[in-house]
Amino acid sequence: MAENEWLSKDFYKVLGVSKDATDAEITKAYRKLARKYHPDLNKTKEAEEKFKDISEAYDVLSNKENRQKYDAIRQFGMGGARFAGGSGQGGFDAGAFSDIFGSMFGGGAGGPGAGSAYERYGADDYEQPQPENGEDRNSKIRLTFRQAVKGATVSLSADGKKFKTHIPAGVHDGQKIRLTGKGKPGRNGGKNGDLYLHITVAEDPKFTLRGRDIIMPLPITVSQAVNGAKVTAKDIDGNEITFKVPAGSSSGAEVRISGKGVVNPHENGDLVGRVEIRVPEHPNLVAKHAAKEFDKACGDFADELARER
């Protein structure tokens, strides 16, 4: 701003300080107004013009030499001092007056300390809102056992908006899955929070999950356990599969079909049949007699079991 315009501007009034305000008071007043009217924080046209005015005022009053010039010009100009104007008429020539005081104080308004107030005070001085990440959410979903084993695409909603997500194969009851960015929205450019999905898996009457392995009961007869057998059963999809039960298998023994468990990008699990030796609930006399003969044929086996008990 040219010095010949200073007479018409009351910079002290613009900043709301007294004429004997200290440098610290001037700076404090400027920063307070800048925070209120800075274009990044206040988008009105009025604020834009106001910010220009307070920046001009601060540019002059914050520089010692410029402030001295300004005070002198205002004192003489407002006091009625008259100088010969360049036009040959009587009156105050602010341009000539500026030159006089410029030579007295060593330069014009562009001297030391010049430059925009915004350049000297970065965005931090205007206390712009800081980015804040959104809060996380928690939600629950209940899956069938088959969905947990096979994986499933499910529909969810947040803030009234529906979206779909894929539940990976092999999730367990009580497991928690994080869905990045599906939490509450961030503020001032911050990231969205995450959504934590708590999984509940319904029990299946036949199948259970152990890691990547699917466990199922495999009931067999005494004869199949003693002699060994190929036992047919149905998997979780209802397809027929065949377990090879070794001779001499006892209840609790496990037989596997490799790769028929949870499908995983790295390694599939197994389908595990847990042997359960079953006998008739009401055996007839022939079966009872045959069982006694079987125990005799096994020698000391019955006595060994008795000792374990």
Side-chain angles (χ1 to χ4, degrees):
M1 178 179 174
E3 295 171 8
N4 58 11
E5 298 178 35
W6 286 0
L7 186 60
S8 63
K9 298 275 189 174
D10 188 344
F11 294 144
Y12 292 103
K13 185 176 180 180
V14 170
L15 293 181
V17 297
S18 65
K19 290 181 175 58
D20 58 353
T22 65
D23 292 343
E25 290 172 336
I26 289 172
T27 299
K28 181 179 179 181
Y30 165 71
R31 290 184 177 181
K32 180 179 179 180
L33 292 169
R35 286 193 293 268
K36 183 177 180 181
Y37 294 107
H38 191 274
D40 288 346
L41 306 176
N42 192 328
K43 303 295 185 181
T44 65
K45 184 67 176 178
E46 179 187 359
E48 182 180 350
E49 294 300 323
K50 186 72 174 177
F51 183 74
K52 289 180 181 178
D53 291 341
I54 63 178
S55 296
E56 288 174 349
Y58 184 72
D59 283 339
V60 174
L61 298 185
S62 65
N63 180 274
K64 183 178 180 180
E65 293 182 1
N66 286 346
R67 184 178 180 183
Q68 287 177 340
K69 286 190 220 179
Y70 173 74
D71 288 342
I73 290 173
R74 293 279 295 178
Q75 180 181 354
F76 279 88
M78 300 305 291
R82 303 185 70 79
F83 295 83
S87 63
Q89 299 177 348
F92 178 70
D93 185 341
F97 192 58
S98 173
D99 291 339
I100 294 171
F101 279 87
S103 62
M104 288 174 59
F105 294 103
S116 89
Y118 184 72
E119 290 172 350
R120 292 196 299 275
Y121 293 89
D124 289 343
D125 290 300
Y126 304 120
E127 296 184 2
Q128 296 185 36
Q130 296 297 310
E132 296 181 32
N133 293 340
E135 296 177 5
D136 294 333
R137 300 179 192 270
N138 288 279
S139 186
K140 297 179 180 179
I141 190 168
R142 183 176 177 84
L143 303 176
T144 66
F145 183 81
R146 190 176 186 282
Q147 285 178 318
V149 169
K150 296 289 185 176
T153 298
V154 297
S155 294
L156 303 171
S157 63
D159 293 326
K161 297 180 180 179
K162 292 185 178 181
F163 64 95
K164 292 184 178 181
T165 191
H166 181 70
I167 306 297
V171 294
H172 294 263
D173 185 68
Q175 187 172 337
K176 186 166 59 175
I177 296 176
R178 185 177 72 175
L179 304 180
T180 304
K182 295 299 184 181
K184 294 184 179 180
R187 294 173 288 278
N188 306 319
K191 297 187 299 183
N192 290 353
D194 298 331
L195 172 62
Y196 287 89
L197 194 58
H198 297 257
I199 305 295
T200 299
V201 179
E203 291 186 2
D204 187 272
K206 181 176 180 181
F207 299 95
T208 57
L209 199 59
R210 184 180 65 197
R212 297 192 188 113
D213 294 338
I214 300 173
I215 314 297
M216 62 175 290
L218 189 63
I220 61 174
T221 66
V222 173
S223 174
Q224 288 172 326
V226 172
N227 295 296
K230 291 183 178 181
V231 180
T232 301
K234 290 185 177 180
D235 64 14
I236 195 171
D237 294 318
N239 300 321
E240 282 196 352
I241 38 87
T242 300
F243 288 98
K244 294 181 179 179
V245 179
S249 294
S250 297
S251 289
E254 294 183 348
V255 290
R256 294 173 176 266
I257 300 179
S258 180
K260 291 294 185 179
V262 173
V263 176
N264 185 277
H266 304 290
E267 183 181 7
N268 294 348
D270 298 336
L271 178 60
V272 178
R274 183 174 290 137
V275 171
E276 296 179 357
I277 300 174
R278 304 279 186 87
V279 298
E281 186 176 353
H282 302 289
N284 57 34
L285 292 176
V286 175
K288 291 179 179 180
H289 178 74
K292 289 182 179 179
E293 293 300 315
F294 175 76
D295 284 346
K296 290 179 182 178
C298 291
D300 296 332
F301 183 67
D303 294 334
E304 292 174 7
L305 293 181
R307 286 193 291 271
E308 286 184 20
R309 296 194 292 270

